[in-house]
Amino acid sequence: MTDKTILRALKGEVLPTPPVWMMRQAGRYLPEYRATRAQAGDFLSLCYNSELAAEVTLQPIRRYGFDAAILFADILLLPQALGVDLWFETGEGPRMSTTTTAAELAALKAPGDVHEKLAPIYETVKILRRELPRETTLIGFAGAPWTVATYMIAGRGTRDQGPAHALKAADRATFAGIIDLLTEATIEYLSQQVVAGAEVIKLFDSWAGSLKGQDFEDFAVAPAARIIAALKSRFPGLPIIAFPREAGEGYVGFAQKTGADCVAIDNSVSADWAAANVQKDGCVQGNLDPRHMVTGGVALVEATREVVRAFSKGPHIFNLGHGITPDADPENVALMIETIRKG
Ligand code: CP3
């Protein structure tokens, strides 16, 4: 029997105090993160510098004592390892060479050929397993195929994922081929994270909300189910968190359809709705609005208590509904944790 609280919640245990971690907990709101990123040079250099990536992963654990650490990396490193060009425009976000034709898809690497490029990420995981406190759970992750495909097809982030939807309509075979390649490569990538020491895996489908009807089944549910089935057959008992962000009604039954042990909830649904409709099937993670990390005060305390109360009757991992933003105040994070742990 493990004593790690996150692993207990993922097995379905209802704990008196929910374990807590935060998406983007290693990030620009922390001065020590900004200093280490400057030392590395830029964001991608930080991701591929195993010692410094481990260091920024550990910073919020030292400062706050979160119950989990999430590997410091990015969902776009996998397409880069498949042969896509990737860079970050300061203040704007990721840019990539586009993949929209059968020829461009065929020019990418095979799923099993990503490991050389990604070796520093596996090394970060190994360092973390050595250096994390024994009570802290290490979470590895990847992007879900649809979300990663939206960036590969558009060459950047988009508000409505228009280019990916357009390719899906115009050239279904190429679109499905991209999803297929990403599904297989994700299985390979995540397997090596587990071999290196990741204890839990999280699959980020940040743009799942723009898939409707049968598309949601085909491109959010089915790839997640395939990835989870493959991981669980290779690593029996491996706990997996799925995050089909802004899925709305699509959250209902998502754990059963995909085999995920936990579904992460964003802020587009209320905690009470998620408790009644999603937590009834097992563990949920979420869903304090990240704006409270900027605004703080009594409203933060009340909203934190409200999320704890809403999910108190079932297995729950406390988190934000999305990543903490660079303008957040580190003091507010401390206040959130104190409120969760002391009531
Ligand atoms: O949660 C964590 O801190 C773990 C590490 C992690 C990062 N990105 C670090 C990061 C994880 C799990 C991600 C996931 C990710 N990356 C997603 C899915 C989750 C989500 O946020 O919706 C997406 C869509 C990406 C792609 C990406 N990476 C974008 C669009 C951006 C730019 C936007 C931004 O926040 O600046 C990034 C950069 C990025 N990834 C940063 C961090 C800490 C900021 C980089 C910096 O230091 O300048």
Side-chain angles (χ1 to χ4, degrees):
M1 184 69 200
T2 175
D3 54 357
K4 293 191 178 188
T5 50
I6 297 242
L7 298 180
R8 288 167 61 188
L10 286 167
K11 285 204 175 97
E13 197 177 327
V14 184
L15 298 162
T17 298
V20 54
W21 68 281
M22 244 177 19
M23 284 183 271
R24 294 279 166 96
Q25 64 191 21
R28 288 159 291 181
Y29 74 104
L30 288 179
E32 59 268 38
Y33 169 84
R34 296 195 298 269
T36 309
R37 191 184 64 170
Q39 191 188 338
D42 56 41
F43 171 66
L44 280 177
S45 307
L46 178 54
C47 290
Y48 288 110
N49 183 324
S50 309
E51 293 290 339
L52 295 184
E55 166 58 23
V56 295
T57 307
L58 291 164
Q59 285 167 351
I61 308 304
R62 289 190 203 113
R63 190 190 259 259
Y64 301 114
F66 283 114
D67 295 286
I70 184 160
L71 164 69
F72 189 84
D74 196 85
I75 65 165
L76 301 180
L77 304 185
L78 180 65
Q80 189 183 31
L82 285 166
V84 167
D85 291 329
L86 169 69
W87 67 100
F88 279 78
E89 297 281 352
T90 315
E92 287 188 43
R95 295 289 183 275
M96 305 168 91
S97 53
T98 57
T99 305
T100 58
T101 65
E104 284 162 348
L105 172 60
L108 297 178
K109 292 191 180 150
D113 291 342
V114 296
H115 299 307
E116 198 182 315
K117 175 78 181 167
L118 295 167
I121 311 307
Y122 311 142
E123 180 59 26
T124 306
V125 173
K126 286 185 196 157
I127 297 171
L128 286 168
R129 272 314 287 278
R130 280 201 308 270
E131 298 198 355
L132 277 168
R134 54 176 300 282
E135 67 274 14
T136 313
T137 303
L138 179 58
I139 303 174
F141 73 91
W146 160 250
T147 287
V148 176
T150 66
Y151 289 90
M152 288 172 72
I153 293 165
R156 58 188 296 158
T158 50
R159 199 170 283 277
D160 59 359
Q161 297 75 60
H165 285 291
L167 184 67
K168 171 159 57 65
D171 183 353
R172 187 82 168 186
T174 298
F175 175 79
I178 295 171
I179 296 287
D180 229 54
L181 173 62
L182 287 171
T183 301
E184 293 303 322
T186 301
I187 292 166
E188 297 307 317
Y189 179 38
L190 290 175
S191 292
Q192 287 311 304
Q193 290 185 28
V194 176
V195 168
E199 300 172 278
V200 172
I201 289 298
K202 180 168 175 185
L203 205 50
F204 284 86
D205 210 350
S206 303
W207 300 118
S210 80
L211 290 169
K212 303 297 177 198
Q214 192 59 40
D215 277 350
F216 184 80
E217 302 300 321
D218 293 345
F219 301 119
V221 174
R226 229 169 103 191
I227 292 164
I228 292 169
L231 289 174
K232 289 206 178 247
S233 88
R234 291 181 189 186
F235 309 100
L238 175 72
I240 300 173
I241 304 170
F243 185 30
R245 191 169 72 90
E246 297 195 355
E249 288 293 328
Y251 275 128
V252 182
F254 197 83
Q256 282 159 324
K257 285 196 267 186
T258 60
D261 301 272
C262 177
V263 178
I265 309 289
D266 69 85
N267 297 119
S268 66
V269 297
S270 76
D272 281 319
W273 180 89
N277 294 285
V278 189
Q279 196 186 30
K280 68 175 174 42
D281 297 328
C283 188
V284 291
Q285 177 180 281
N287 76 336
L288 183 69
D289 190 328
R291 289 307 300 165
H292 286 295
M293 298 299 104
V294 180
T295 53
V298 176
L300 158 61
V301 172
E302 285 175 355
T304 300
R305 286 187 182 140
E306 192 45 35
V307 170
V308 171
R309 180 204 57 76
F311 290 122
S312 60
K313 297 202 166 50
H316 176 219
I317 299 167
F318 195 101
N319 206 308
L320 306 179
H322 201 194
I324 186 168
T325 51
D327 55 345
D329 181 346
E331 291 296 321
N332 290 334
V333 177
L335 180 58
M336 173 189 79
I337 295 176
E338 189 190 305
T339 304
I340 296 165
R341 292 187 176 157
K342 300 200 181 123

